[in-house]
Amino acid sequence: MTEPRFHAMPDGRQIAFRFAPATGADTGPTLVFLPGYKSDMAGGKACAVFDWARAEGRACLLLDYSGCGLSSGDFAGGTLSRWREEVLSLIAAHCPGPVTLIGSSMGGWLMLLVALAIPAQVHALVGIAAAPDFTDWGTSAEQQAELAAGRAVFEDNPYGPEPTPTHPGFWADGQAQRLLGGEIALTCPVRLLHGQRDADVPWDLSLQLAERLRSADVQVTLIKDGDHRLSRDADIALLLRTIAALP
């Protein structure tokens, strides 16, 4: 891995990122990996994509959203709109040509929002247990009432000792960014990977997303014994094969 660098946003936010430039003459679109909720660019899938890209001579961009990983800021202030702004700013600064967006879980929702902002620049999308609209289907009526009243909600975290928070600002912004209620006006190739033992994001959500996308070139791959993370060696090998096989 390269050493992290920092990208300054206009308001002073310092966004940590790693960027590997292309080393070949015709290496394809820059790969941009978008991690999940409360995750960062040090995750296994992000590192695997970055290492593969460097070995193939492909350009690749990783980042930590504000309030996550090495970036400045408070996680409680994070929203999809704020993080989309950061992704778009980094793409504008480092990726002048076409990009392929790879989004894991919440990053799969964010990749759709980013692609809708710059559709002409997006060559393809790869979702890993993509979770659009999870502020809606992923929260109970009781939790939504708490969030609407301005109170954070905390849930058990199967991946660590600290409970997972949902903050009112993130929830309200997410509700305003929902996509599954109508057509998603993206026409690029899309590949969606989803484990059928995913306890966090129902696997049929990828089928719903495939139906909503305008693109005719959408493929959904279901991994029968795959969990939410899809971070086993075989899962990562499938991810890299999927990226390599994009048109």
Side-chain angles (χ1 to χ4, degrees):
M1 293 284 283
T2 62
E3 288 298 311
R5 298 159 60 188
F6 291 87
H7 176 80
M9 297 294 291
D11 65 357
R13 272 174 284 165
Q14 296 291 317
I15 307 305
F17 72 98
R18 288 185 168 93
F19 180 71
T23 57
D26 184 18
T27 55
T30 299
L31 305 178
V32 180
F33 189 93
L34 304 179
Y37 191 73
K38 282 193 73 67
S39 188
D40 55 46
M41 62 180 172
K45 293 187 291 293
C47 292
V49 169
F50 194 83
D51 291 344
W52 178 84
R54 293 188 73 187
E56 295 291 317
R58 298 280 298 271
C60 186
L61 172 67
L62 307 182
L63 76 151
D64 290 341
Y65 314 127
S66 57
C68 301
L70 300 175
S71 291
S72 67
D74 183 356
F75 182 77
T79 65
L80 287 164
S81 293
R82 185 177 179 86
W83 295 338
R84 173 180 56 189
E85 178 187 35
E86 294 162 4
V87 175
L88 290 170
S89 184
L90 274 163
I91 289 175
H94 297 283
C95 311
V99 296
T100 290
L101 303 176
I102 304 160
S104 177
S105 193
M106 181 206 74
W109 188 359
L110 192 57
M111 81 175 177
L112 298 169
L113 297 173
V114 170
L116 287 167
I118 50 168
Q121 191 175 353
V122 175
H123 175 76
L125 304 175
V126 179
I128 309 157
D133 298 14
F134 75 82
T135 52
D136 192 19
W137 54 259
T139 51
S140 67
E142 181 180 0
Q143 290 171 326
Q144 293 199 26
E146 286 289 294
L147 290 160
R151 293 184 288 270
V153 169
F154 296 86
E155 297 180 277
D156 290 338
N157 178 10
Y159 308 113
E162 298 295 325
T164 300
T166 301
H167 294 283
F170 178 88
W171 176 78
D173 183 75
Q175 291 296 86
Q177 304 284 359
R178 288 174 290 179
L179 296 172
L180 295 175
E183 184 184 60
I184 302 172
L186 295 171
T187 58
C188 62
V190 182
R191 304 293 181 261
L192 302 171
L193 310 179
H194 215 129
Q196 289 188 282
R197 292 184 181 174
D198 189 333
D200 300 306
V201 181
W203 59 264
D204 63 346
L205 197 76
S206 282
L207 301 181
Q208 293 179 46
L209 175 55
E211 184 178 358
R212 293 287 185 267
L213 286 159
R214 182 180 296 172
S215 173
D217 186 1
V218 181
Q219 298 176 14
V220 180
T221 300
L222 300 176
I223 301 92
K224 187 172 183 178
D225 64 346
D227 62 9
H228 179 62
R229 286 189 156 185
L230 290 180
S231 59
R232 301 169 301 180
D233 289 347
D235 299 326
I236 289 175
L238 172 62
L239 170 62
L240 299 179
R241 289 198 304 273
T242 301
I243 296 168
L246 283 167

Coordinates of all heavy atoms in Angstrom, one line a residue, residues 4-36:
P4 N -0.8 7.1 3.0 CA -2.0 8.0 2.8 C -1.6 9.4 2.6 O -0.6 9.9 3.1 CB -2.7 7.8 4.1 CG -1.7 7.4 5.1 CD -0.7 6.6 4.4
R5 N -2.4 10.1 1.8 CA -2.3 11.5 1.6 C -3.6 12.1 2.0 O -4.5 11.4 2.4 CB -2.1 11.8 0.1 CG -0.7 11.2 -0.4 CD -0.7 11.0 -1.9 NE -0.9 12.2 -2.7 CZ -1.1 12.3 -4.0 NH1 -1.1 11.2 -4.7 NH2 -1.2 13.5 -4.6
F6 N -3.6 13.5 2.0 CA -4.8 14.2 2.5 C -5.3 15.2 1.5 O -4.5 16.0 1.0 CB -4.5 14.8 3.9 CG -4.3 13.8 5.0 CD1 -3.1 13.2 5.2 CD2 -5.4 13.3 5.7 CE1 -2.9 12.2 6.2 CE2 -5.3 12.3 6.7 CZ -4.0 11.8 6.9
H7 N -6.6 15.2 1.3 CA -7.2 16.1 0.3 C -8.0 17.1 1.2 O -8.9 16.7 2.0 CB -8.1 15.3 -0.6 CG -8.9 16.1 -1.5 ND1 -8.4 16.6 -2.7 CD2 -10.2 16.5 -1.5 CE1 -9.4 17.3 -3.3 NE2 -10.5 17.3 -2.6
A8 N -7.8 18.4 0.9 CA -8.5 19.4 1.7 C -9.8 19.8 1.0 O -9.8 20.2 -0.2 CB -7.6 20.6 1.9
M9 N -10.9 19.7 1.7 CA -12.1 20.2 1.3 C -12.2 21.7 1.5 O -11.5 22.2 2.4 CB -13.3 19.5 2.0 CG -13.3 18.0 1.7 SD -13.7 17.6 -0.1 CE -15.4 18.1 -0.2
P10 N -13.1 22.4 0.8 CA -13.2 23.9 1.0 C -13.4 24.4 2.5 O -13.0 25.4 2.8 CB -14.4 24.3 0.1 CG -14.4 23.2 -1.0 CD -14.0 22.0 -0.3
D11 N -14.1 23.5 3.3 CA -14.3 23.9 4.6 C -13.3 23.5 5.6 O -13.4 23.6 6.8 CB -15.7 23.4 5.1 CG -15.8 21.9 5.2 OD1 -14.8 21.2 4.8 OD2 -16.8 21.3 5.6
G12 N -12.2 22.9 5.1 CA -11.1 22.5 5.9 C -11.0 21.0 6.2 O -10.0 20.6 6.8
R13 N -12.1 20.3 5.9 CA -12.0 18.8 6.1 C -10.8 18.2 5.5 O -10.5 18.6 4.3 CB -13.3 18.2 5.6 CG -14.5 18.1 6.5 CD -15.7 17.5 5.7 NE -16.2 18.5 4.8 CZ -17.1 18.3 3.8 NH1 -17.4 17.0 3.6 NH2 -17.6 19.2 3.1
Q14 N -10.1 17.3 6.1 CA -9.0 16.6 5.6 C -9.3 15.2 5.3 O -9.6 14.4 6.2 CB -7.8 16.7 6.5 CG -7.3 18.1 6.8 CD -6.6 18.7 5.5 OE1 -5.8 18.0 4.9 NE2 -6.9 20.0 5.3
I15 N -9.4 14.8 4.0 CA -9.9 13.5 3.6 C -8.7 12.6 3.3 O -8.0 12.9 2.3 CB -10.9 13.6 2.4 CG1 -12.0 14.6 2.8 CG2 -11.4 12.2 2.1 CD1 -12.8 14.3 4.0
A16 N -8.5 11.6 4.0 CA -7.4 10.7 3.8 C -7.7 9.8 2.6 O -8.8 9.4 2.4 CB -7.2 9.8 5.0
F17 N -6.7 9.6 1.7 CA -6.8 8.8 0.5 C -5.5 8.2 0.1 O -4.4 8.6 0.6 CB -7.4 9.6 -0.6 CG -6.4 10.6 -1.3 CD1 -5.7 10.3 -2.4 CD2 -6.2 11.9 -0.7 CE1 -4.8 11.2 -3.0 CE2 -5.3 12.8 -1.2 CZ -4.6 12.4 -2.4
R18 N -5.6 7.1 -0.6 CA -4.5 6.5 -1.3 C -4.8 6.5 -2.8 O -5.9 6.1 -3.2 CB -4.2 5.1 -0.7 CG -3.7 5.1 0.7 CD -3.3 3.7 1.1 NE -2.5 3.7 2.3 CZ -3.0 3.6 3.6 NH1 -4.3 3.5 3.7 NH2 -2.3 3.6 4.6
F19 N -3.8 6.8 -3.6 CA -4.0 6.8 -5.0 C -2.8 6.2 -5.7 O -1.6 6.5 -5.4 CB -4.2 8.2 -5.6 CG -4.4 8.3 -7.1 CD1 -5.6 7.8 -7.6 CD2 -3.4 8.7 -7.9 CE1 -5.7 7.9 -9.0 CE2 -3.5 8.8 -9.3 CZ -4.7 8.3 -9.8
A20 N -3.1 5.2 -6.6 CA -2.0 4.6 -7.4 C -2.3 5.0 -8.8 O -3.4 4.6 -9.4 CB -2.0 3.1 -7.2
P21 N -1.4 5.7 -9.5 CA -1.6 6.1 -10.9 C -1.4 4.9 -11.8 O -0.8 3.9 -11.4 CB -0.5 7.1 -11.1 CG 0.6 6.8 -10.2 CD -0.1 6.2 -9.0
A22 N -2.0 5.0 -13.0 CA -1.8 3.9 -14.0 C -0.4 3.9 -14.4 O 0.3 4.9 -14.5 CB -2.7 4.2 -15.2
T23 N 0.1 2.7 -14.7 CA 1.5 2.5 -15.1 C 1.6 1.9 -16.5 O 2.7 1.7 -17.0 CB 2.2 1.6 -14.2 OG1 1.6 0.3 -14.1 CG2 2.3 2.2 -12.8
G24 N 0.4 1.7 -17.2 CA 0.5 1.2 -18.5 C -0.1 2.2 -19.5 O -0.7 3.3 -19.1
A25 N -0.1 1.9 -20.8 CA -0.6 2.8 -21.8 C -2.1 2.7 -22.0 O -2.8 3.7 -22.2 CB 0.1 2.5 -23.2
D26 N -2.7 1.5 -21.8 CA -4.1 1.3 -22.0 C -4.6 0.4 -20.9 O -4.8 -0.8 -21.0 CB -4.4 0.7 -23.3 CG -5.9 0.6 -23.6 OD1 -6.7 1.3 -22.9 OD2 -6.3 -0.2 -24.5
T27 N -4.8 1.0 -19.7 CA -5.1 0.2 -18.5 C -6.6 0.3 -18.1 O -6.9 -0.3 -17.0 CB -4.2 0.6 -17.3 OG1 -4.4 2.0 -17.1 CG2 -2.8 0.3 -17.6
G28 N -7.4 1.0 -18.8 CA -8.8 1.0 -18.4 C -9.2 2.1 -17.4 O -8.3 2.8 -17.0
P29 N -10.4 2.2 -17.0 CA -10.9 3.2 -16.1 C -10.2 3.1 -14.7 O -9.8 2.0 -14.3 CB -12.4 2.9 -16.0 CG -12.7 2.1 -17.2 CD -11.5 1.3 -17.5
T30 N -10.1 4.2 -14.0 CA -9.6 4.2 -12.7 C -10.6 3.5 -11.8 O -11.8 3.8 -11.9 CB -9.4 5.7 -12.2 OG1 -8.5 6.3 -13.0 CG2 -9.0 5.7 -10.7
L31 N -10.1 2.7 -10.9 CA -11.0 2.0 -9.9 C -11.1 2.8 -8.7 O -10.1 3.3 -8.1 CB -10.4 0.6 -9.6 CG -10.1 -0.3 -10.7 CD1 -9.5 -1.6 -10.2 CD2 -11.4 -0.6 -11.5
V32 N -12.4 3.1 -8.2 CA -12.6 3.9 -7.0 C -13.4 3.0 -6.1 O -14.5 2.6 -6.4 CB -13.4 5.1 -7.4 CG1 -13.6 6.0 -6.1 CG2 -12.7 6.0 -8.4
F33 N -12.8 2.7 -4.9 CA -13.5 1.8 -3.9 C -14.1 2.7 -2.8 O -13.5 3.5 -2.2 CB -12.5 0.9 -3.3 CG -13.1 -0.2 -2.4 CD1 -13.5 -1.4 -3.0 CD2 -13.5 0.0 -1.1 CE1 -14.1 -2.4 -2.3 CE2 -14.1 -0.9 -0.4 CZ -14.4 -2.2 -0.9
L34 N -15.4 2.4 -2.6 CA -16.2 3.1 -1.6 C -16.6 2.1 -0.5 O -17.4 1.2 -0.7 CB -17.5 3.7 -2.2 CG -17.2 4.6 -3.5 CD1 -18.5 5.1 -4.0 CD2 -16.3 5.8 -3.1
P35 N -16.0 2.3 0.7 CA -16.3 1.4 1.8 C -17.6 1.6 2.4 O -18.4 2.5 2.1 CB -15.2 1.7 2.8 CG -14.8 3.1 2.5 CD -15.0 3.3 1.1
G36 N -18.0 0.6 3.3 CA -19.3 0.6 3.9 C -19.4 1.6 5.1 O -18.5 2.3 5.4

